[in-house]
Amino acid sequence: MEKITYASLGSLGEEFHSQFDAALSKLTRTFGKTHSLLIDGKLEKGKETFGDISPSDTRVVLGNFPLATVDDVMKAIAAAKRAYPPWRDLDWQKRVALLRRAADLMMQRQFELAAILTLEVGKNRFEAIAEVSEAIDLILYYAQQMENNDGYNIPLVTTGAEQTRSVLKPFGVWAVVSPFNFPLALATGMAAGALLSGNTVVFKPASDTPWSGVGLATVMHDAGLPAGVFNLVTGSGAVVGETLLTNGDLDGFVFTGSREVGLKVLRDFSARSPKPRITEMGGKNPTIVMPSASLEDAAEGIVRSAFGMGGQKCSACSRLYAHADIYDALAEMMVPKTKKLKIGDPRERDTFLGPLINERAVKTFNSAVQLGRTEGRVLCGGNVLQDGARAHGYFVEPTIIDALPQDSRMFQEEFFVPLLSMAKVHSLDEAIRLANDVEYGLTSGIFTNDETEHAQFFNEIEAGVTYCNRRGGATTGAWPGVQSFGGWKASGSSGKSALGPYYVSQFMREQSQTIVYKR
Ligand code: SIN
């Protein structure tokens, strides 16, 4: 079957569904299996394991995964250090070829990888297959960047007998630490950036998504990456994450996840000497709707963006500033659309919204809704769902809240649950001022058909990823090579975005080379 993209999602037919269902059945037969670490090219059982619990039904153990110890992490780092010199010295074209082979394998395994995402994260099948396609495209796009930049080795100005070049070179061994929400695509993108540019990798997946991590490690191993170039250590943040952060033996750290952990990485990783850290953190992403907008497009784009994957995207829209002239009409369109979303078992083909990732997320949902009820008014949703087949999972209703005071925490804090707070504004100036009045700056959207408002929005909004009139997702749905994806302010540290043309070069340091030839 052809590679699936966001554009082709709407036209997926029976062949897609039957292959996806077959992959689900195959994986169901493996439930409870014990998986391994990948260290120095070898699969290693852990001394202890932890259960990967299905968020759709907490009675189901999807698999058991090693709880890596400090010793395991140190072994993985040592293996990555040994593997580094030959990997660095390999022609970059050969590294590109190996990573392209990994992309081919992902393509061959796309249904199995997507089914893991549905079972482990609770993504609906369309979101799951799209994530696998994104992971493939991340490798291909970053590989293309190596080619476009001739391996980042370019001549500088030659004067007389002096010949000079600028060469970007890898740093060494990188920790790659990925979040639960895009466990395959984000891990693949970060690892591919590091590997293509000649670094080796020790990879820790989020504790909630070790299976997706094993899926990626297996692809890298089977693609023929030399032993030690890509190592997998599953386990806890307290042991694995902390050891990666503080052992002092790594050369770079790339992280996507919460602001709290991202700031810790920025603070602790280079406490002893300067070292590169790339951190992509959260967002509190606003959408603005002005009177000239198509309200149907706005309602659709906002609902998709706020509630797709249960608001558990860094890019999810969680604040809406709608002009007073269209505020009520927009709310009247959004509420029925939200109520119609099918919430339930993500394995079913017509489910839109699966479960939240874990119990902590449900607690966050409950306390944020409680705050919303106290300070404002719940327009729809607000409940945890525990009926019938949803009795044993983390299912909640997508929720819209309005009539909040302007300084409510609901407009400031990232909750990472399906919760949208809306407020009335009277001008674009006011909307942009409120949109910018947060610590985060990841994604932002606007709906307006007035071109001067497009220009003002793009000029004044403080966010790394911006969209105008996007029915497919007001603030979500970036794609490699199409939309760069990176945060400003507290949402990101490097000012260079993933999915974009400047990403790979961040994993390298510049050397200027001058040769003087005798005349
Ligand atoms: C994310 O990384 O959380 C989502 C990416 C996107 O929706 O653009």
Side-chain angles (χ1 to χ4, degrees), residues 6 134 181-182 186 256 312-316 416 442-443 465 467 475-479 485 499:
Y6 264 120
E134 183 178 357
N181 60 340
F182 283 82
L186 291 176
T256 305
Q312 300 172 110
K313 299 183 186 182
C314 317
S315 57
F416 228 56
L442 185 52
T443 69
V465 195
Y467 299 98
T475 61
T476 51
W479 199 260
F485 189 83
L499 283 62

Side-chain angles (χ1 to χ4, degrees), residues 1-20 107 110-111 114 124-131 133 349:
M1 192 164 165
E2 289 294 290
K3 187 159 75 62
I4 291 153
T5 63
Y6 264 120
S8 62
L9 280 181
S11 56
L12 292 174
E14 264 324 298
E15 189 194 345
F16 162 73
H17 290 294
S18 67
Q19 295 210 48
F20 192 87
M107 177 68 199
Q110 63 174 331
F111 289 100
N124 73 42
R125 60 180 62 194
F126 299 104
E127 297 257 10
I129 202 80
E131 179 174 343
S133 290
R349 57 165 83 180

